[in-house]
Amino acid sequence: MLEIKNLYVKAGNHEILKGVHLKVNAGEVHSIMGPNGSGKSTLAQVLAGRETYEVTRGEVLYEGKNLLEMAPEERACEGVFMAFQYPVEIPGVSSAQFLKAALNAIRRARGLEELDAMEFLALVKQKFKVLGVDEKLLHRSVNEGFSGGEKKRNEIFQMALLEPRLCILDETDSGLDIDALKIVASGVNGLRSPGRAILVITHYQRLLNYIIPDYVHVLVEGRIVRSGGKELALELEEKGYALIEGGAGAAAPGRR
Amino acid sequence: MVAVTPATDRYLENFDRFARVAADSGQEWLRPVRQAAIARFAELGFPTIRDEDWRFTNVAPIAQASFARANGSRTELSPRDIDQFAVPGLVGPQLVFVNGRYAPRLSSPGSLSDGATVSSLAQAFTDARTVLEPHLARYADYARDGFTALNTAFMEDGGFVYVPRGRVIEAPIRLLYVSTETADPIVTHPRNVIVLEEDSQAVIVEEYVALGAEVYFSNVVTEVVVGQNSVLSHYLIERDSEQAFNVSTLRVQQGRSSNVASHTVLLGGALVRNNVHPVMAGEGSECLINGLFMATGRQHMDNFMRVEHASPHCDSRQFYNGILDGRSHGVFSGRIIVHKDAQKTDAKQTNKNLLLSEEAQIDSKPQLEIYADDVKCTHGATIGQMDEGAIFYLRSRGIAEDAARALLLFGFANESLERMKVGPIRKYLEALVTQWLPQGKLVEES
Ligand SMILES: Nc1ncnc2c1ncn2[C@@H]1O[C@H](COP(=O)(O)OP(=O)(O)O)[C@@H](O)[C@H]1O
Ligand SMILES: [Mg+2]
């Protein structure tokens, strides 16, 4: 589904990703772990189409197509979804207005009929129930005045609503208490399916107790320095990134 | 030092004729204040950019133009002509003014019980002198401001609302000013007087619209007295023609524990000056000053706030958002004056501006004059372009770039609209704002 080949990315004069390779098949859950500043968000943002990053080498294929040539909204319409590490507040735009615009844009792209206000509301309420989201959210401005946990939960809610095929979660677990973490994890687990791939980016091993990955990759200084099964996450938790080959003196995940 | 222009002279000449006619029509009691005001105008003339309060706004186009007085042949309109200005879902008294004069056939003042009054000011001059006299021209200071002086000298019509003690009028009272095509450019001096006695409540919606693209000058003064423990919401919706001049002053006198909300939306006009001047004279009063101005082309919109804390424990909140496109010029001056005795003042001011084009311009200036020592005053202004991070967020959810920009712009404007409590007015303004936006259709479709 996703194939990243020798990806080099810079922002300004700063080279952040230095030759990333990654292959993700439909139905798989991959986790990317790495210390602060290793380039995790950069990778997520590049996959979603953020233009402040410059790809200098390499390529990214998504379902056989050149992902890097597509505008962010095209990627979303083709089924790519990235849950932001720091979701953006949009004052004055209600969640209802935003979600309806997004859902209908994606439905149009998929050749489905747009939903009217009533149909939209019915669908949203059903998804709200599953994730335990308060309906009042619809009338609030997008992410404005939300707590950290509410913002993260809102990202997962959007993901559930838009039903993407490739889900990228950028530190969706950071800053969550254990209850919120479980809700987020169950939301993600509910989306696991043979036709869908999930990329869980995290700094801490904790989330992976609830979302069990098929593969774990370690990103250090812009390179994937090791890949393995789910046990690699536990090993990292014990030994710290410093002991992983190529890692240069970074702290253990979960310890600050 | 006074800039005596041919136009100034013309106002003075016109005044003599006007005063003679007015004296014959039972308005003799107004003569002293009109005389004093025209005398003051003769001294003040129109302000110039050397005047600190007018630094960013050159009113020469008004001062040098020659406007005819609006009376004489009254334009007859039918209700159908003004259908387009109806606010869907809004039920309440409505007074319509055509070229500054009350149009009874277009109006529906309704009948309010318990001594509450909604009428034209012209009628109130004869019928409600006892209510008017203690307030009229006592607050809007014609000694300080040439435009107010001119309005006071020539005031002859406008809206009059009187809410006696303990009365709550829930239905919004709308004052709709319609400008029509005229042979020559005209000047009108609408004067609105709103008196709320203690423990009362009302909502006033003042709106300026045009039927054509003509040149005219509306010189408005709205004088509002809000008694002890009373609640008033005032809306000003300015949708003048693109060639029009509009100078308006909202002067609010607040009693003890009163609560006032002033909402302003400026959309039209070539040159607009919006003065908002509440004086919190009674202890514990509160004031919300909420505004949105949207300019494009060569429009000039100047918002001049003068928020006076004259008593202890008063709260004021100012929020003004501006969107400037084309070669337009916006101004926000936020003066907060805290008098010596106004301890425990809590005053907050926020002015946010979005520039949509390279040639658009904004001058934003806070001004704090604080004479008390135990006060909390904060102010902040931002000037910027649209948040690219927010645009990316919307796009990453499938929303096309132009729609994302439109949605974000709508949101910026909507921050102001969200503070408005009257649902039908808010919806009406949402539609007007959406129409204004460069890609507003995309907001409607989404
Ligand atoms: N837009 C940018 N401009 C310049 N430097 C950036 C930008 N984004 C990230 N960086 C830098 O790139 C490195 C990797 O950042 P990031 O991808 O956010 O790491 P992570 O998510 O793993 O913590 C950091 O050193 C960060 O300061
Ligand atoms: Mg990150």
Side-chain angles (χ1 to χ4, degrees):
Chain A
M1 173 172 290
L2 179 72
E3 197 171 357
I4 302 173
K5 294 182 193 165
N6 199 28
L7 186 68
Y8 281 76
V9 174
K10 65 177 190 182
N13 285 326
H14 186 61
E15 189 145 80
I16 305 171
L17 298 183
K18 302 163 191 166
V20 172
H21 294 269
L22 185 68
K23 199 172 169 202
V24 179
N25 295 311
E28 294 174 353
V29 176
H30 289 239
S31 171
I32 296 180
M33 299 185 71
N36 269 336
S38 57
K40 301 185 298 296
S41 291
T42 302
L43 179 62
Q45 299 263 330
V46 165
L47 293 178
R50 185 78 208 249
E51 282 148 1
T52 43
Y53 296 96
E54 190 193 342
V55 175
T56 53
R57 262 170 83 183
E59 65 176 335
V60 179
L61 298 176
Y62 169 70
E63 295 186 330
K65 280 175 278 191
N66 182 350
L67 186 71
L68 300 177
E69 268 183 356
M70 295 155 73
E73 57 269 34
E74 282 178 68
R75 301 180 195 203
C77 290
E78 292 283 331
V80 177
F81 183 96
M82 192 264 289
F84 283 57
Q85 182 177 3
Y86 302 109
V88 183
E89 299 192 1
I90 307 186
V93 176
S94 74
S95 293
Q97 198 172 11
F98 162 63
L99 293 171
K100 187 158 167 276
L103 185 65
N104 278 336
I106 285 174
R107 288 181 67 93
R108 271 197 302 274
R110 291 180 188 161
L112 298 170
E113 273 204 30
E114 292 185 32
L115 298 186
D116 65 22
M118 299 299 285
E119 296 164 328
F120 166 75
L121 213 63
L123 177 64
V124 162
K125 284 186 176 172
Q126 177 211 325
K127 302 262 175 186
F128 272 170
K129 239 192 214 138
V130 177
L131 278 167
V133 179
D134 190 342
E135 273 178 37
K136 283 199 209 92
L137 178 130
L138 280 178
H139 306 290
R140 292 170 67 186
S141 293
V142 178
N143 291 322
E144 195 190 31
F146 287 25
S147 69
E150 281 177 315
K151 282 183 184 168
K152 296 296 177 79
R153 206 188 297 185
N154 191 24
E155 295 292 288
I156 299 305
F157 167 72
Q158 289 171 33
M159 194 164 90
L161 183 70
L162 301 179
E163 301 183 325
R165 282 200 295 276
L166 173 63
C167 308
I168 304 159
L169 282 70
D170 188 4
E171 290 208 35
T172 302
D173 52 327
S174 295
L176 295 188
D177 63 30
I178 193 71
D179 293 331
L181 188 79
K182 283 181 183 166
I183 292 170
V184 164
S186 81
V188 174
N189 286 329
L191 284 169
R192 288 182 91 144
S193 82
R196 187 173 277 140
I198 302 176
L199 198 56
V200 183
I201 294 173
T202 181
H203 185 80
Y204 307 103
Q205 184 271 338
R206 193 178 61 153
L207 178 68
L208 305 182
N209 293 332
Y210 301 95
I211 305 174
I212 314 288
D214 301 306
Y215 301 94
V216 173
H217 311 276
V218 183
L219 184 72
V220 177
E221 291 186 348
R223 278 188 203 98
I224 289 181
V225 296
R226 233 180 109 178
S227 296
K230 59 175 184 279
E231 43 324 310
L232 180 55
L234 291 168
E235 190 187 330
L236 276 175
E237 179 76 1
E238 256 167 54
K239 296 185 186 162
Y241 294 113
L243 295 177
I244 303 287
E245 187 196 353
R255 270 175 237 147
R256 286 196 236 213
Chain B
M1 207 202 84
V2 177
V4 178
T5 63
T8 316
D9 279 345
R10 181 153 183 199
Y11 286 108
L12 300 179
E13 274 164 36
N14 276 337
F15 180 76
D16 293 331
R17 237 171 303 139
F18 167 71
R20 270 196 304 277
V21 175
D24 293 342
S25 58
Q27 296 176 10
E28 185 59 28
W29 66 277
L30 292 166
R31 191 149 70 167
V33 67
R34 283 178 171 149
Q35 291 285 359
I38 197 71
R40 188 61 185 143
F41 175 70
E43 288 165 11
L44 288 171
F46 290 103
T48 69
I49 50 171
R50 286 188 300 276
D51 184 330
E52 180 59 24
D53 292 353
W54 292 86
R55 247 178 73 196
F56 302 109
T57 297
N58 185 354
V59 299
I62 298 175
Q64 281 157 16
S66 176
F67 296 103
R69 291 217 323 114
N71 61 353
S73 66
R74 282 199 201 174
T75 321
E76 286 296 325
L77 294 181
S78 80
R80 247 194 304 150
D81 296 319
I82 60 161
D83 266 356
Q84 56 179 303
F85 305 119
V87 179
L90 189 73
V91 182
Q94 172 164 282
L95 304 185
V96 178
F97 301 84
V98 177
N99 296 333
R101 295 311 304 257
Y102 181 55
R105 292 201 316 163
L106 304 178
S107 301
S108 44
S111 52
L112 297 167
S113 52
D114 304 339
T117 309
V118 175
S119 80
S120 73
L121 186 68
Q123 189 169 354
F125 280 152
T126 22
D127 296 357
R129 180 176 167 183
T130 48
V131 177
L132 273 175
E133 209 167 359
H135 303 300
L136 185 71
R138 307 279 160 158
Y139 309 109
D141 189 0
Y142 61 80
R144 219 191 50 217
D145 170 51
F147 287 104
T148 302
L150 203 55
N151 176 288
T152 307
F154 285 101
M155 61 185 173
E156 55 184 332
D157 215 345
F160 170 69
V161 176
Y162 167 64
V163 187
R165 179 180 178 158
R167 273 285 271 141
V168 172
I169 302 180
E170 276 172 58
I173 300 161
R174 188 172 184 224
L175 311 173
L176 179 66
Y177 287 88
V178 184
S179 294
T180 68
E181 261 174 79
T182 47
D184 294 305
I186 59 163
V187 55
T188 61
H189 304 277
R191 180 87 171 205
N192 304 301
V193 181
I194 320 287
V195 179
L196 268 69
E197 286 188 351
E198 47 189 274
D199 296 316
S200 66
Q201 188 173 325
V203 180
I204 310 290
V205 183
E206 213 180 302
E207 182 167 351
Y208 296 83
V209 297
L211 281 172
E214 63 280 7
V215 180
Y216 56 85
F217 170 33
S218 300
N219 179 33
V220 186
V221 173
T222 299
E223 234 168 354
V224 183
V225 187
V226 184
Q228 246 189 69
N229 211 28
S230 290
V231 180
L232 173 84
S233 297
H234 179 270
Y235 293 75
L236 170 67
I237 305 170
E238 184 275 321
R239 304 169 57 197
D240 284 298
S241 94
E242 60 190 29
Q243 294 201 69
F245 304 101
N246 184 313
V247 176
S248 82
T249 297
L250 174 67
R251 173 67 175 83
V252 184
Q253 185 75 5
Q254 287 192 242
R256 191 177 192 286
S257 303
S258 63
N259 189 322
V260 168
S262 151
H263 303 285
T264 302
V265 176
L266 308 182
L267 293 167
L271 192 167
V272 178
R273 165 79 166 206
N274 163 39
N275 299 305
V276 179
H277 183 184
V279 177
M280 286 175 274
E283 202 173 312
S285 45
E286 279 176 53
C287 186
L288 166 69
I289 298 146
N290 176 39
L292 170 66
F293 53 104
M294 300 170 72
T296 184
R298 309 205 63 153
Q299 283 180 293
H300 182 102
M301 292 181 176
D302 178 348
N303 300 280
F304 190 86
M305 309 292 117
R306 185 185 163 99
V307 178
E308 282 191 55
H309 285 255
S311 269
H313 293 284
C314 296
D315 287 3
S316 66
R317 294 284 176 272
Q318 295 178 58
F319 303 97
Y320 258 69
N321 280 15
I323 299 179
L324 300 149
D325 201 354
R327 306 177 64 180
S328 67
H329 185 178
V331 182
F332 178 82
S333 306
R335 185 176 297 170
I336 300 173
I337 303 169
V338 181
H339 292 229
K340 197 160 144 279
D341 299 328
Q343 301 297 1
K344 304 284 178 197
T345 283
D346 186 346
K348 193 175 170 207
Q349 176 185 100
T350 309
N351 169 228
K352 299 204 274 182
N353 304 289
L354 273 186
L355 299 180
L356 300 186
S357 89
E358 304 243 314
E359 287 116 334
Q361 192 186 337
I362 176 79
D363 290 290
S364 179
K365 188 176 77 158
Q367 255 183 309
L368 307 183
E369 286 178 33
I370 301 175
Y371 304 103
D373 42 38
D374 185 7
V375 304
K376 206 160 84 189
C377 278
T378 61
H379 63 85
T382 60
I383 299 170
Q385 279 87 38
M386 272 196 272
D387 176 1
E388 291 299 323
I391 291 169
F392 175 62
Y393 187 72
L394 295 172
R395 293 178 73 190
S396 79
R397 299 303 181 245
I399 299 169
E401 182 173 5
D402 49 0
R405 288 183 184 277
L407 204 55
L408 209 59
L409 211 49
F410 173 81
F412 183 81
N414 195 39
E415 284 179 45
S416 305
L417 306 187
E418 281 176 342
R419 297 191 187 96
M420 303 177 180
K421 294 235 176 77
V422 180
I425 298 286
R426 200 175 55 236
K427 290 237 157 58
Y428 175 72
L429 288 168
E430 275 174 18
L432 290 176
V433 161
T434 306
Q435 266 171 37
W436 186 98
L437 296 175
Q439 300 265 10
K441 261 180 44 208
L442 297 173
V443 176
E444 281 165 29
E445 284 163 9
S446 65

